[in-house]
Amino acid sequence: MNNTIDEFDAAIKVCRDLYIRKLRDYGASWRLMRPCSITDQILIKATRIRSLETKGHAMVDEGIMPEFIGIVNYGIIGLIQLESGVSDVKDITVEQAVERYDRWMSETRTLMLSKNHDYDEAWRLMRVSSYTDLILTKLMRTKEIEDNNGATTVSEGIDANYMDMVNYAIFGIIKLTEQGEA
């Protein structure tokens, strides 16, 4: 039997390690990005995944896994930006950026555990391409909310959509790892 918590935590570790390595290279340069730009970055990554799934090959020697990792990290960055607001400078240290990443990832993980309980691990029955489509759907919803200045009447907000995208991307990482594509 699969152990979702261990697999989820292993996927988080891969994403977090890359996030920290990039922070060491660039600092928190993403602090200058508005949330709508982060949404567009995630859109680029999800669109590339769908393109690779459809075409079956890549012209650039990077597969689907790095794109899912990018979605996870940009999703967490988006949550940090929503909370902190946009800055005109890199105004947080590497340590602060890691602390905020860990806090938001913990909250996102808790959401996954709650939903996973209620849905009885239905994600395991899904295809990786379905995660891609769900992420793209969440992106379209997020863009609509952003275009409406964050206003919703009955729907969840941008933060909930970012967390769902992160969780779907982590499911994709788990599935690809199980398939030996890591």
Side-chain angles (χ1 to χ4, degrees):
M1 181 173 174
N2 296 315
N3 185 336
T4 297
I5 294 172
D6 291 343
E7 292 170 321
F8 202 84
D9 289 345
I12 289 171
K13 183 180 181 333
V14 168
C15 298
R16 184 182 187 273
D17 288 349
L18 181 60
Y19 173 82
I20 290 170
R21 288 195 319 267
K22 287 195 174 202
L23 274 172
R24 288 186 182 133
D25 285 348
Y26 309 127
S29 57
W30 45 262
R31 285 289 294 128
L32 283 73
M33 294 179 75
R34 292 172 284 190
C36 61
S37 297
I38 294 167
T39 300
D40 286 342
Q41 278 297 125
I42 297 169
L43 176 65
I44 290 167
K45 294 190 171 305
T47 300
R48 182 165 188 272
I49 292 170
R50 188 163 166 161
S51 172
L52 294 175
E53 290 169 344
T54 302
K55 294 174 185 169
H57 71 282
M59 297 290 287
V60 177
D61 190 25
E62 295 174 359
I64 292 172
M65 181 71 80
E67 304 299 349
F68 275 129
I69 293 168
I71 290 170
V72 169
N73 287 341
Y74 273 115
I76 298 297
I77 288 168
L79 290 164
I80 294 168
Q81 291 297 81
L82 286 173
E83 174 185 58
S84 303
V86 178
S87 177
D88 291 329
V89 296
K90 294 187 300 184
D91 62 349
I92 59 175
T93 65
V94 168
E95 293 77 20
Q96 291 169 322
V98 171
E99 180 275 323
R100 292 176 190 185
Y101 183 97
D102 289 344
R103 185 168 36 83
W104 277 109
M105 185 59 83
S106 176
E107 191 168 328
T108 301
R109 180 182 181 273
T110 298
L111 176 66
M112 181 281 299
L113 291 171
S114 297
K115 287 186 174 186
N116 199 43
H117 171 271
D118 291 354
Y119 287 95
D120 284 333
E121 301 222 327
W123 67 271
R124 291 196 182 272
L125 305 173
M126 297 169 61
R127 297 172 185 92
V128 173
S129 60
S130 294
Y131 307 138
T132 307
D133 291 348
L134 287 165
I135 291 167
L136 286 164
T137 301
K138 293 284 183 178
L139 284 162
M140 291 304 113
R141 291 176 182 177
T142 300
K143 288 172 66 99
E144 286 292 324
I145 295 168
E146 289 169 345
D147 290 347
N148 290 326
N149 297 314
T152 61
T153 54
V154 297
S155 302
E156 297 175 312
I158 295 169
D159 57 342
N161 282 288
Y162 278 152
M163 285 192 268
D164 284 345
M165 287 183 253
V166 167
N167 284 329
Y168 286 129
I170 290 176
F171 292 154
I173 292 167
I174 292 169
K175 283 277 196 140
L176 291 173
T177 300
E178 288 174 348
Q179 297 168 7
E181 297 181 36

